[in-house]
Structure formats: C-alpha cells, structure tokens
Amino acid sequence: MNIYKDYIKEIDERKNQGLHPKPIDGAELLSEIIAQIKDSDNTDRSDSLKFFIYNTLPGTTSAAGVKAKFLKEIILGESVVEEISPAFAFELLSHMKGGPSIEVLLDLALGNDMSIAHEAANVLKTQVFLYEADTNRLKEAFNSGNEIAKEIIESYAKAEFFTKLPEVAEEIKVVTYIAGEGDISTDLLSPGNQAHSRSDRELHGKCMITPQAQEEIKALQAQHPDASVMLIAEKGTMGVGSSRMSGVNNVALWTGRQASPYVPFVNIAPIVGGTNGISPIFLTTVDVTGGIGIDLKNWVKKVDENGNPVRNENGEVVLEEAYSVATGTVLTINTKEKKLYNGDKELIDLTKSFTPQKMEFIKAGGSYAIVFGKKLQTFAAQLLGIEAPAVFAPSKEISHEGQGLTAVEKIFNRNAVGSTPGKVLHAGSDVRVQVNIVGSQDTTGLMTSQELESMAATVISPIVDGAYQSGCHTASVWDKKAQANIPKLMKFMNEFGLITARDPKGEYHSMTDVIHKVLNDITVDEWAIIIGGDSHTRMSKGVAFGADSGTVALALATGEASMPIPESVKVTFKGDMKEHMDFRDVVHATQAQMLKQFGGENVFQGRIIEVHIGTLPADQAFTFTDWTAEMKAKASINISEDNTLIESLEIAKGRIQIMIDKGMDNKNQVLKGLIEKADKRIAEIRSGEKPALTPDANAKYYAEVVVDLDEIVEPMIADPDVNNDDVSKRYTHDTIRTLSYYGGEKKVDLGFVGSCMVHKGDLKIVSQMLRNLEKQQGKVEFNAPLVVAAPTYNIIDELKAEGDWELLEKYSGFEFDDNAPKGEARTEYQNVMYLERPGCNLCMGNQEKAAKGDTVLATSTRLFQGRVVEDSERKKGESLLASTPVVVLSAIIGRIPNIDEYKAAVEGIDLTKFAPPIKELVQVGH
C-alpha cells in the first residue's frame, strides 16, 4: 500500500501550501484505490471513492484506462459498489472524453446485452473524441448489420452530439476587473519563472497576477454571484507576448466554470477584454476553452473640430474615454444582438466576438469539440452514403473575381481541406488547412501532452511531414524541476512520434537548440504551414503560427488547423544600408517607420507581414520574421529570390543530416523524408517547374510599408520606457530609439547575446569585436557581465572550425559543460563573459535572470516587466533590445556607447548586411 500512503503524504504537504490533492494520472495508484473501494471494511474506502470519482484525470492517462475498466465491471455486474450504480457508471464514462472510455462504451454498445447496449449507445451519441480505431469498429459493426451501430452512426450524421447541447445564454452578465494598464503580457497571467508548475493546474493558478488580485477577484465573485468576472487590459491589448495556454487556463481557473464535476481544476469559458482587443494567439487559446474575447474600444482618439487627431507635446495621439470599465462595473453581453450594454445603454457592437463559428465554440465548451465533431459527422455521412446535414455554421468563403493572391492566400488555398472545390479563397475566408510541420517546446510541452491525453490521441497524424519536441526553454539549468519534468515529456513525445531533443534511451547527445531554429531548418518547403507552441514560431520559410499548447496538440493529433485567412501587409525596402549598421537595426526601423507612416496605428497587428526580403538567406532573414511577434503580427512570410531559397534549403539539408547522424531519426524516418522533400523542392526551383513562392502582381493588401534604408543612420534600440508617466506606454515594443538618444551616458549592468534572434554571424561579430578592440586597446576588459548563448550546437561547431570559439574561450570566465550542467540558476554575475549552453537562457526568464533592478541590454525579444529582470526596491529592472555589436560594446564599456565609439568599434567588422532585391518579387499574369 506504499503508493497510496505516498499519495496521502503528498496531500498533507499540499495542504500546507493551501492546495487540494493532485489529480491522479497513474494506473498503479488508481488500482490500489479501486482495491480499497472493493474492500468494504477498508478504513480508507470513503476517501478512495472520492479520489476515484472526482480526482482522476480522463482521456488516455493510464489511470483513465483503469477507471474505465472498473466502470465496465460495475455496469456488467461483475463488481458491485453501493455508491456507484450502473447508471452513475455510465455518467462517469460520459465525462472521460475518449480513449479507454470509448473503447469500453463500444464494447458495451456492441455486446449481447441489449438493455446495456442501448444505454451505452446513448452515451456514445454524446461523444466526439473518436479516432480511427473507434470509427473502424463502428464501421465493421454497421456493415455487419448491427442495429445499435446504425443508430449511433445515424446520430453522428445528424451531429446530435452538438445539436442537443443547451443553447448559449442570450444574456451574460459580467463584472469588470482591470488586470493592468497597457498591454498585458501572458507573463502576468502565467509567469515564465513558474513554467515548471504549468501541468499542475491548481498550483500554477496561484501565480496569476498577484495574491492580492486573486483575492479581489474572489471578492467580486462573492458580490456578484450571477456574473462572470471579465479580466481587462485597460488602454492595451490582452495576452501579448508568449502563447500561453497556461495563462488562459489560469484566467479560467479564477473566473470560468468547471468543465466537468468529475475532473478537477479544468475550467472553461473565461471572458477577457482589452481596449485594443486580444492578441491573436491568445484569442485562439480563449476559443479552445469556449471563452469570449472582447475588443472593448473604450478609449478612442480625441479629434479636433476638423476631425484630425489631437496630439500632445510629444506628438502622441491623445486618447479619451468612450465609456468606463473600471473594476466592479457590471455590464451585460447580449449574444443574440451581439452588443455590450451598461444597463440599457448600448456601448459597442460585438459581432467579431460572436461570429457563427465562435458561437459554436462557446456552445460546445471549446473549439476541439467542434473540430472533432465535424470529422465525426463527415465519417458518418460518408458511411451512410448521404450528404451531411447542414448543422454547423458554413465556413465563410470569400472570393473576389479578378483579384490576385497574396503569398499567404496562395499557401492557404493549396493546403485547404473541405473547402468548395475550384473556388479561390481570399482573406477573411474560414479555412481548415493541412499542417506540415509541428513544434512543441519544453515549458508548454507537458501541457501539450496532457491535451493529447485528454483528447485521447495516442499517435501523431500520418499527414504531418515532421514534428519536433525541443529542450531549449529548460536548457540553462538542469535543476530538480527540469529533471522531474523533461525526461517524462521526452519519453511521451518520442513514443507519440515526434523527433525529440533528448533521447529517452540516452543513445544520442541531448540537443538544446532553440526550437524556432530547428523548425526553421526542418521546414523544407516555403509552401508549408507550421504550428508551434511558442509565439516566436515564425519561420523564414513557409508561414508559421505560434499557438497555444492545445492547438499544437490538435495539429499533432489531426494534422489540421482551422483559422480565417489573415489579411496581409506588404513590406518592401528602398535605399542602401549603411556600412556601420546591422540588419537588426533594419528590423527595429521597420517598426518605427511603420508607426510613423500610419500615424501611430499598428497596421501589422493581427495580420501577416509579407516581407520581400529577396536576397537574405533563411538564418539571417529569421531575425526579421522572429521580431514580427513583437510587432503583434499574426505571422510573417518571406518572399525570397530563387537562388537565395535554394541556398537556404541546402543549409537546412545539412543540418537535418547532422540530426540523422546523431541518431535522432525515428522508425518512420521522418528526417530522411524531409531531406528528400528538400531535394525535390530544389529540383523544382532549378528547373523552373515551380519557382520560389511570390504573390500575384494584382494581390490586395491591407497596407503597404516601404522601409527607407537611407533613413537608418545609427543603431536602433527597443526601450521598455519603464518610467513613462503613461503606464499604458510602458513595456511595449513600440518605443524604438536611436543610439544618440542615450547620449553615451546610460549605464548597462548586463549584456546578453543570445535567444532565437541571433545567428552564426552574430557570434562571429562578438569574436570580431573582441579582436578589433584588442588590437585598438591592447586588451579587452568588461565593465559589465556579457552572457553569450549560441542558439544551436551547429553554430558552436562551426565557430570552433573557423577559429572564433577559441577567442571567445580566451575572454570567457565560464564555459558550459554538457557533462556537468548547472544545477542551480546563477544569481550573481562578475564582469566577465559567460559562454552558456545553447538555448533560450535569459530570454525565457524561467531559470536564469539578471540581478533585480539591473539595466540589461539584450539581443533577445523580451522586454516585459519581470521577464529577463525583475524590479528591485531601488529601481525598476529594464530590458532594452539592440543589435549584437551594440550589446557587446555596452558590456565592455559598461554603458550604452555614443555613435563615435560605436563606429570605431565596428570598423571593418562583417555585420549582418542586407541589400533589397533589385527586381520586384511578384508573379505576373495570375
């Protein structure tokens, strides 16, 4: 009975933390609990019943298998439990979602006892998480003339699992809670430094916002028991930054409703709002939980008598309050009229929040049920030889005759599933698409594996070309949390069919390469669609969408994703890049020039950035596409010249071959297949059969941005502007400043070169600058620590071969050792260079951090409060973002340099250069 006693001991420990018992997912523990239930004299029987009924995870967990089997025994009368009648056993099976529970229900429905068969059939008619093995059993029984199977299949064809659900309430009362002013990053809702606890939903829920905020939410719920608490980003966008399913889970845990009385800490239907709406990825995640996301528009531009925006002394547009959403305001959502009311006063139209598709998600308790339901209905209708009745809202199909296609419209049309044959679809159309590449990262991977278990998936969809599970977000420190979580994750994903960074068998050396870099390499077709569990899933080949852990699970299980075709913004370049500038400065300037061109409106938000990069290979171009997450774009697409694309694919092939040589390929030889696909694509481009992807010349864009390279005369820095009087202007990525703004005086406490934003050239820049400054000054001394984390092992190998790594080692005070990885995060830094293990490092904020209150200059993407650096009592922590040469020089001199110091330091150095394509990259005549 040791396992049960250990569980009771853990319960006591959790009680001291204010936590309930951890949900059970293991077969061994549940088997012991069942043995105690069967023993009527057992002193733990009462608790065991509660654990069995209310605290066992459903889906394909090993515990779910044991639970389903025992419920089957009760239904057949093989076991008698006074507290669990056969009818109650059927109810419990109905809440188990899929996997073993479906297998048991099919056993009973297709068995010989007709009264039991009918009851099982009635439960099966409510279920949607069926896979091929399940539908094959129904098909066989149907073809054999089984009447029960026919009855179930006819119900599926009518989609009664959906039509018999209660309708969405016409009126939903909400009470507002301002979670913060300005953009609210998902770090506020699910901090990166608490990533280790994400799969323990109750524990992780304790980290949302602050304990004080949690108490305030509880107080609002007590005051307004008939209302849902709506979390709001006042004067900002809700859910920017990382793609946190855990953030939505936390919001649902505190403000939503329990999905099932028999499944603990899985809540659905959160309601969130933002003055400027909801971040695209976060909104998708809200849909997963059947929640509601609202673009409040409660602050609007103030205009003068001529209708022109009024500006303040800094030239910024002045906003005025259209209506108040102060904490405690009671509002009413009318889902029928699609309006938001304060009493009888209409505030705004909510059509975008309640499209027919979103209404379905709300009714079904989440988008998964709709995705699986549609597949199930299609299967049943085809088996019956009928056309599926029109139950679900028809997909919106928008087609403009004579209008060409943007690059993303072309990709979506090629990958569309189930759309009207022969119809060309434009932006705004709702499309189911086949997914080619899927990525799961390690701090959300445990949640993805839970999602796969809950939707009863056991193997990767055969239509996915390749999928990868990374180890980069936990690469910095091999601490007890990582040791407990990561091997378990890698084993699950490896068995599911993914290529994994760590080998569960221990036969190949662990690869902690940054996930986005690996996905960029295994994407070997620029027509591909990529889904990845991170907001920076933005490839420079294909179109990639950062997604929540659930959408990643759905893509892995089904090989599909559903979304509207986004609008695109075209970005082209003119002029010449100055010798002393780095391509990172072009990236920042793009954002600054776009905001200037459009009067402060971010035309990139929620759209595809189609960047006509032309001549820049995938590694360097990735710096641009990666940053588009901070531009709040939904995704980005690179338009490349033929030869540049071939060069990128050849590099990718070489890196995939290294993975094969390490022994990372699986039994399906996924990596070998990707090389073959790359060879085929290269041959198509060379022969002219299918040139590199370009948009049509007559494609229509939401906006066009022309970046003038001649205007970029000094390095550009993204500043969190932590002391701005307007709180809503802090910690955005929109404050882009020139080097001279700082006057050569701003102190820098730590420099960081690393994360997904850097490539091999950046690491060479570090060594070249050291060589340069050594020549100029005789020696190099650091006045601030410099943390250097290469994004991949390949880069380190190549730097060693080319002589750069030796120079980096010379100046380093620490070099990572894979044979003895750090067991604890560094808390103090000396003024030396640290050569850290490949991976995310400081950018992730879950393991390594700068000292509290530091001013950090980094090449990464994260400047949110508390992410890279936390505030101290004396001052706010700052994470400013700049190019590699600026960061290196700042660490050496201990402050942001002036322009003359910078120019001298980079003289003769091979910075990342960029020349716009000479000819326009479009396809004429389509």
Side-chain angles (χ1 to χ4, degrees), residues 834-855:
Y834 296 84
L835 295 179
E836 295 287 359
R837 196 182 202 182
C840 304
N841 202 271
L842 285 164
C843 186
M844 181 55 200
N846 63 321
Q847 293 184 325
E848 298 281 83
K849 270 194 185 313
K852 288 182 179 180
D854 270 3
T855 293

Side-chain angles (χ1 to χ4, degrees), residues 521 619 650-659 794 798:
D521 287 335
D619 281 6
E650 291 288 4
I651 291 168
K653 276 173 56 187
R655 290 179 184 160
I656 296 168
Q657 188 59 53
I658 290 169
M659 293 170 76
N794 287 341
E798 289 167 26

Side-chain angles (χ1 to χ4, degrees), residues 107-145:
D107 289 346
L108 298 170
L110 303 177
N112 297 323
D113 188 318
M114 291 313 289
S115 65
I116 288 176
H118 279 292
E119 285 185 74
N122 287 336
V123 176
L124 275 168
K125 289 174 192 175
T126 67
Q127 304 295 296
V128 292
F129 291 102
L130 276 72
Y131 287 84
E132 205 171 344
D134 307 315
T135 53
N136 281 347
R137 284 186 71 186
L138 278 172
K139 186 177 178 180
E140 274 179 40
F142 173 80
N143 289 336
S144 301

Side-chain angles (χ1 to χ4, degrees), residues 301-311:
K301 291 178 184 177
K302 188 174 182 177
V303 293
D304 59 24
E305 62 275 10
N306 300 318
N308 298 316
V310 176
R311 297 179 182 272

Side-chain angles (χ1 to χ4, degrees), residues 486-725:
I486 303 306
K488 183 168 68 175
L489 170 65
M490 295 294 166
K491 183 175 186 296
F492 179 96
M493 290 301 192
N494 197 281
E495 289 171 357
F496 198 83
L498 283 75
I499 303 298
T500 51
R502 290 179 179 274
D503 181 12
K505 302 185 191 80
E507 289 172 9
Y508 60 78
H509 182 70
S510 297
M511 185 172 87
T512 57
D513 290 3
V514 175
I515 180 172
H516 325 301
K517 296 292 191 183
V518 179
L519 293 181
N520 205 34
D521 287 335
I522 68 172
T523 302
V524 292
D525 185 350
E526 83 281 20
W527 288 79
I529 291 178
I530 305 103
I531 297 287
D534 193 289
S535 58
H536 287 99
T537 304
R538 304 197 170 227
M539 306 302 100
S540 45
K541 302 187 290 291
V543 62
F545 297 94
D548 60 276
S549 54
T551 302
V552 171
L554 201 61
L556 288 170
T558 66
E560 290 184 13
S562 298
M563 65 184 92
I565 303 178
E567 295 175 303
S568 294
V569 175
K570 184 179 181 179
V571 174
T572 54
F573 304 88
K574 68 177 184 179
D576 297 305
M577 192 171 161
K578 305 287 180 285
E579 276 298 308
H580 61 280
M581 302 310 298
D582 185 80
F583 182 62
R584 176 70 184 253
D585 301 312
V586 176
V587 174
H588 285 181
T590 299
Q591 190 154 340
Q593 290 189 24
M594 175 274 294
L595 290 168
K596 188 178 176 185
Q597 284 173 39
F598 291 91
E601 180 195 351
N602 183 355
V603 296
F604 292 150
Q605 183 162 348
R607 299 184 178 92
I608 302 287
I609 299 178
E610 184 183 286
V611 55
H612 289 234
I613 212 90
T615 58
L616 211 53
D619 281 6
Q620 291 89 323
F622 187 80
T623 305
F624 192 104
T625 52
D626 202 26
W627 183 258
T628 60
E630 313 319 329
M631 296 176 185
K632 299 184 186 174
K634 192 168 180 69
S636 61
I637 287 184
N638 272 354
I639 306 302
S640 292
E641 292 182 346
D642 286 357
N643 290 336
T644 306
L645 181 57
I646 289 170
E647 180 189 345
S648 296
L649 291 173
E650 291 288 4
I651 291 168
K653 276 173 56 187
R655 290 179 184 160
I656 296 168
Q657 188 59 53
I658 290 169
M659 293 170 76
I660 293 171
D661 294 343
K662 285 185 71 168
M664 294 178 73
D665 214 349
N666 58 16
K667 63 183 179 185
N668 294 331
Q669 293 193 299
V670 164
L671 296 176
K672 181 171 179 282
L674 290 172
I675 288 181
E676 289 167 2
K677 285 182 174 69
D679 283 332
K680 180 174 180 286
R681 185 70 194 105
I682 289 166
E684 288 173 343
I685 298 168
R686 283 199 172 126
S687 69
E689 177 192 341
K690 190 178 175 186
L693 170 67
T694 53
D696 291 331
N698 59 338
K700 188 179 179 185
Y701 296 90
Y702 176 82
E704 297 193 30
V705 175
V706 180
V707 180
D708 189 346
L709 300 177
D710 289 331
E711 286 186 14
I712 311 169
V713 294
E714 55 179 311
M716 314 287 280
I717 294 175
D719 194 320
D721 205 7
V722 299
N723 296 310
N724 194 312
D725 291 338

